[in-house]
Amino acid sequence: MNNAVTRTAKLCLLFALATSTSFSLKALTINDVWINEINYDEPGTDTGEFVEIAGIAGTDLSSLTLVEYNGNGGGTNGSLSLTGILSNTHAGYGFLSFLFPTNGLQNDDEGLALVEGSTVIQFLSYEGSFQATNGPANGQTSADIGVSETNSTPAGFTLQFLGHADNGSWTGPIASTSGSINTGQVLPDLSANNPSDSTPVPNSGATLGLLGLGLAAIATLKRRKP
């Protein structure tokens, strides 16, 4: 057996084990990530519609999905898989916006569920509240953000959250702050815990992948041993 390859495989395995122990494969919660800004109705053709996710810097968003719900009937109306890692943009928090296709978001009552696997982290709606009838939020009632847009809303204006996690209110339409903290938003200072954005927080999928690669490599090398 090649000693250098064996050492590499073992190091991979040890790193995966250490990572899984350190972070305990923790599921994301509303305190880690939340919906922070929405733009769903532009003048004329609805291009540039987006939803911004905010949360703790270093958080990997690749395990999350935004599920759209139709307020008329409560059924799902599409979904968008998220990607990326939140960088330290403000006091230990990051902000990433995700574009939807042209006319991708409804201009009347619609819900947005932020989901990890089958777990709903947040279920918001605009232009009314309703109960979901299928999908991950089935049976749950959306929280109406209380502000809305119209086709006369100026281009580049959005709806923005002013708080942290699920504690706070929404305002707008006001000038977009996509990719940064919202106008008037107050967040607890986490900068002492997030001195840089150079070390991303691994999610459970990445950690398990490393663990599997390490185990597979060692098993393969053992089978090849003369």
Side-chain angles (χ1 to χ4, degrees), residues 34 36-37 50-55 59 61 82-87 89 94-98 178-180:
W34 62 89
N36 202 58
E37 187 173 358
F50 71 88
V51 174
E52 179 187 78
I53 303 298
T59 302
L61 305 183
L82 306 188
T83 59
I85 295 172
L86 295 177
S87 60
T89 303
F95 311 84
L96 274 178
S97 293
F98 297 90
S178 176
S180 60

Side-chain angles (χ1 to χ4, degrees), residues 164-189:
H164 166 258
D166 58 354
N167 183 22
S169 60
W170 286 74
T171 190
I174 58 176
S176 175
T177 57
S178 176
S180 60
I181 190 170
N182 290 334
T183 303
Q185 185 173 23
V186 178
L187 296 171
D189 191 349

Side-chain angles (χ1 to χ4, degrees), residues 10 24 51 54 65 81 102 141 161 167 198:
K10 287 182 177 179
S24 302
V51 174
T65 303
S81 296
T102 300
T141 300
F161 185 54
N167 183 22
S198 60

Side-chain angles (χ1 to χ4, degrees), residues 79-196:
S79 65
L80 182 68
S81 296
L82 306 188
T83 59
I85 295 172
L86 295 177
S87 60
N88 192 347
T89 303
H90 176 87
Y93 296 90
F95 311 84
L96 274 178
S97 293
F98 297 90
L99 283 171
F100 282 76
T102 300
N103 296 317
L105 294 175
Q106 291 181 195
N107 290 344
D108 51 11
D109 53 337
E110 170 153 304
L112 292 164
L114 181 61
V115 179
E116 182 177 43
S118 60
T119 301
V120 176
I121 297 173
Q122 189 175 32
F123 185 28
L124 301 181
S125 59
Y126 49 80
E127 300 195 29
S129 180
F130 61 90
Q131 187 176 76
T133 57
N134 64 2
N138 186 32
Q140 298 185 31
T141 300
S142 65
D144 186 357
I145 63 175
V147 291
S148 60
E149 296 179 325
T150 69
N151 57 13
S152 62
T153 297
F157 276 46
T158 64
L159 309 178
Q160 300 175 26
F161 185 54
L162 298 181
H164 166 258
D166 58 354
N167 183 22
S169 60
W170 286 74
T171 190
I174 58 176
S176 175
T177 57
S178 176
S180 60
I181 190 170
N182 290 334
T183 303
Q185 185 173 23
V186 178
L187 296 171
D189 191 349
L190 296 181
S191 55
N193 299 325
N194 291 275
S196 73

